Amino acid sequence: MTDASRERAAGRRRPRQSDIARVAGVSQAAVSLILRGTPSGMALARETRQRVLDAAEELGYVPDPVATRLASARNAMLGLYTFSTTFPTDVAHSYYPVLAGVEEEAAAQGQDLILFTGSARAAARAEDPAAVRRVRVADGCLFFGRHVPEEPIRRLAEDGFPFVYIGRRDEPGVPYVGADYVPASADVVARLVAAGHRKIRYLREHDQAPASADREEGVLRGAREAGLDTRGLVAPTDGADADALLGGWLAEGVTAVIVEQTDTGAALAGLGAAVGRAGLDCPGDLSLAVLGAATGTRGRAPGGGAAFSGFDVPMREMGRDAVRLLLELIAGAPGGATRRLLPCEPVEGGTISAPRPPEKHT
């Protein structure tokens, strides 16, 4: 058992910074600088900082949130931390509008941004609380990405550190600004049914992120409301089996497919390629609807055809509203709900039409 473990096992009182200093073999001043994430603390030797952070974790140290906020003046700097493996800067990336919205609102509010990039190394260390603790150098932080380590985020919440997640979360008490996928997805099903489709399939990725769960819930709700048979409606995929899925559906008489759009784009790319290889026309042979923004070349049906029908995710406004909510939390006086879902805008597109009448054989 390490010295830190013995300290924690004793359990007689809440660990203090002096305990961390003793276990790590450094001064209490150094501990304070490192845990607060100050420039001076970050300038200390990496080995020293890691030793302090490891000792704090072993001891179960939790700073007093009130004392922490009183001891540090606000510096008009907001953190932005992504759990993507690569920080999205390509304008065709589905997360790019989030960044644009965050930057626009931060500038309008007189705030600077500190970008904590989700490199492959950082993503691999995402479960390490020390990796997330870096955000304390800012007044508060925005988080986004489909997969979030629960423990470091829980610790931030317990410490009273202001943060907002961009996207809906299931964890109790986590402030977020997300998209209202359930009614938007149900509406897409209703539009297909109104066009005359009764045999519909939903292609989604294996991912179990809240956004994926919400889209599926909406599709199932829309199907039930329309009186459709939901057996076999949902088909998870990584895109590799899209040809087999499409062939089976056509043999069953399926006339419309709804596709989940994510940051990977695997389901949409796989189906699009399969439709192209089958030589099908959209929407003449098969109607397609996309749940989420499909930007750039991915925003059109195979062969550079019509723009996809479906709905658009309010990514830019999510970024802006998340900044506003974060500033309310930093000020200690939220002006409204701290868990917000923004409506998705329907996109007419050109990939939904009435199903082609079955051929008559003489």
Side-chain angles (χ1 to χ4, degrees), residues 18 82 114 124 131 160 174 176 219 230 253 272 277 291 298 327 337 362:
S18 57
T82 172
I114 304 175
V174 173
Y176 63 70
V219 169
T230 59
R277 285 190 289 268
L291 305 186
R298 294 180 297 173
L327 291 174
T362 58

Side-chain angles (χ1 to χ4, degrees), residues 117 293 357:
T117 57

Side-chain angles (χ1 to χ4, degrees), residues 41-339:
M42 298 299 287
L44 293 174
R46 181 176 179 179
E47 294 76 10
T48 300
R49 288 188 284 113
Q50 193 59 52
R51 199 161 65 245
V52 168
L53 296 176
D54 289 344
E57 290 302 325
E58 283 202 64
L59 287 169
Y61 172 77
V62 177
D64 184 322
V66 176
T68 299
R69 301 314 298 167
L70 290 176
S72 60
R74 295 173 190 159
N75 52 20
M77 290 195 299
L78 306 179
L80 179 62
Y81 193 114
T82 172
F83 292 98
S84 291
T85 54
T86 303
F87 201 81
T89 55
D90 188 333
V91 294
H93 195 289
S94 59
Y95 284 152
Y96 182 83
V98 172
L99 291 175
V102 166
E103 182 182 26
E104 289 168 358
E105 190 63 27
Q109 298 284 350
Q111 302 288 313
D112 287 318
L113 291 172
I114 304 175
L115 304 181
F116 298 93
T117 57
S119 65
R121 187 175 70 86
R125 296 174 58 240
E127 290 291 345
D128 179 3
V132 177
R133 189 186 292 110
R134 295 175 301 156
V135 303
R136 293 178 181 276
V137 70
D139 292 334
C141 191
L142 302 166
F143 292 97
F144 73 97
R146 286 172 67 82
H147 300 286
V148 179
E150 295 183 10
E151 180 61 17
I153 298 299
R154 182 186 65 79
R155 284 180 175 268
L156 287 179
E158 290 177 349
D159 295 352
F161 180 76
F163 70 91
V164 172
Y165 188 81
I166 302 176
R168 190 184 70 77
R169 301 304 307 169
D170 291 321
E171 300 86 351
V174 173
Y176 63 70
V177 175
D180 203 359
Y181 290 121
V182 175
S185 299
D187 179 67
V188 169
V189 176
R191 288 159 60 189
L192 286 168
V193 171
H197 296 278
R198 302 298 297 178
K199 290 191 175 181
I200 300 170
R201 292 294 180 267
Y202 176 49
L203 191 64
R204 59 157 292 177
E205 298 183 25
H206 293 284
D207 202 331
Q208 293 302 315
S212 293
D214 288 351
R215 288 182 174 103
E216 180 173 336
E217 180 184 343
V219 169
L220 290 171
R221 177 187 297 183
R224 287 191 293 266
E225 290 175 348
L228 302 183
D229 186 355
T230 59
R231 292 174 297 180
L233 172 63
V234 181
T237 184
D238 61 2
D241 58 350
D243 290 280
L245 288 172
L246 179 62
W249 291 340
L250 294 175
E252 296 172 17
V254 170
T255 59
V257 178
I258 303 170
V259 189
E260 174 189 31
Q261 171 67 332
T262 70
D263 53 348
T264 69
L268 180 58
L271 181 66
V275 168
R277 285 190 289 268
L280 300 179
D281 172 67
C282 294
D285 298 311
L286 184 73
S287 285
L288 289 179
V290 178
L291 305 186
T295 57
T297 56
R298 294 180 297 173
R300 293 188 174 275
F308 284 122
S309 303
F311 63 73
D312 194 17
V313 181
M315 290 285 195
R316 205 178 201 101
E317 184 53 34
M318 285 164 58
R320 296 189 68 116
D321 198 41
V323 171
R324 292 191 288 265
L325 176 55
L326 180 58
L327 291 174
E328 291 172 9
L329 294 175
I330 292 171
T338 59
R339 311 187 85 176

